[in-house]
């Protein structure tokens, strides 16, 4: 290899390594939920692509990239696919990952229990605190705090 080619490869490698260092710090993930009654989860950004499954209203998704009316997303189970961007709502929903999560009246381990929530229950996200707690809303039980580690989508 010539010195010029070696220098070009070294420059590319340095840029790539730098992008790896910057990427995780660039910001928090963007989460949305299905805003329509149902939407189709495709394997590519086209209605002519393979339909993987149907997502119901309120189903939470992590936005990976948006491209010409389509959004590439990941669900709580790790499945990656595409949905039409117009089908998404800005409303955030979180999913309980723990077998049972204890919701508390205040963001403290010793706070009064508010309610308990089973795995895979969806809750409305209100805010994530820097102390490791997330404020959520249950449609019947109201607002409370759950450990962020027990949730997906916060």
């Amino acid at each position: 290899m010539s010195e010029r080619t070696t220098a070009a490869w070294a420059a590319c490698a340095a840029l790539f390594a730098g992008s790896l260092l910057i990427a995780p710090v660039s910001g928090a993930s963007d989460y949305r939920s299905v805003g329509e009654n149902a939407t189709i989860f495709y394997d590519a950004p086209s209605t002519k692509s393979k339909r993987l499954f149907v997502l119901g209203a309120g189903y939470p998704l992590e936005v990976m990239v948006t491209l010409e009316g389509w959004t590439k997303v990941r669900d709580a189970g790790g499945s990656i696919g595409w949905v039409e961007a117009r089908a998404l709502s800005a409303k955030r929903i979180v999913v309980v990952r723990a077998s049972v999560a204890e919701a508390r009246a205040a963001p403290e381990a010793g706070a009064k229990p508010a309610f308990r929530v089973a795995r895979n229950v969806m809750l409305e996200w209100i805010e994530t605190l820097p102390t490791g707690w997330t404020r959520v809303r249950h449609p019947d039980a109201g607002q409370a705090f759950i450990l962020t580690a027990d949730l997906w989508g916060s």
Side-chain angles (χ1 to χ4, degrees):
M1 243 191 296
S2 72
E3 280 185 40
R4 190 174 195 177
T5 304
T6 304
W9 277 108
C12 287
L15 284 172
F16 178 72
S19 70
L20 291 176
L21 294 173
I22 293 170
V25 180
S26 65
S29 295
D30 183 19
Y31 294 93
R32 304 288 171 98
S33 61
V34 174
E36 300 181 348
N37 286 338
T39 194
I40 300 169
F41 196 76
Y42 294 94
D43 72 342
S46 168
T47 56
K48 295 179 182 180
S49 65
K50 183 178 178 185
R51 297 174 180 198
L52 301 175
F53 44 87
V54 176
L55 304 172
Y59 194 85
L61 298 164
E62 178 184 8
V63 173
M64 299 175 75
V65 69
T66 299
L67 176 70
E68 298 177 13
W70 289 87
T71 303
K72 186 175 186 179
V73 295
R74 178 185 353 252
D75 71 4
S79 296
I80 295 175
W82 293 84
V83 297
E84 292 183 78
R86 64 179 170 75
L88 297 178
S89 166
K91 184 176 185 179
R92 273 178 73 174
I93 303 294
V94 294
V95 178
V96 176
R97 295 194 298 193
S99 57
V100 176
E102 190 77 42
R104 305 249 174 216
E108 303 166 353
K112 178 182 173 186
F115 54 89
R116 297 178 74 168
V117 191
R119 176 178 285 138
N120 295 326
V121 170
M122 294 188 294
L123 304 164
E124 182 180 353
W125 174 89
I126 298 172
E127 67 177 324
T128 300
L129 305 174
T131 57
W133 292 87
T134 297
R135 184 191 309 250
V136 297
R137 179 178 294 118
H138 184 282
D140 299 323
Q143 290 187 30
F145 297 88
I146 296 180
L147 284 170
T148 302
D150 289 345
L151 301 169
W152 181 87
S154 62

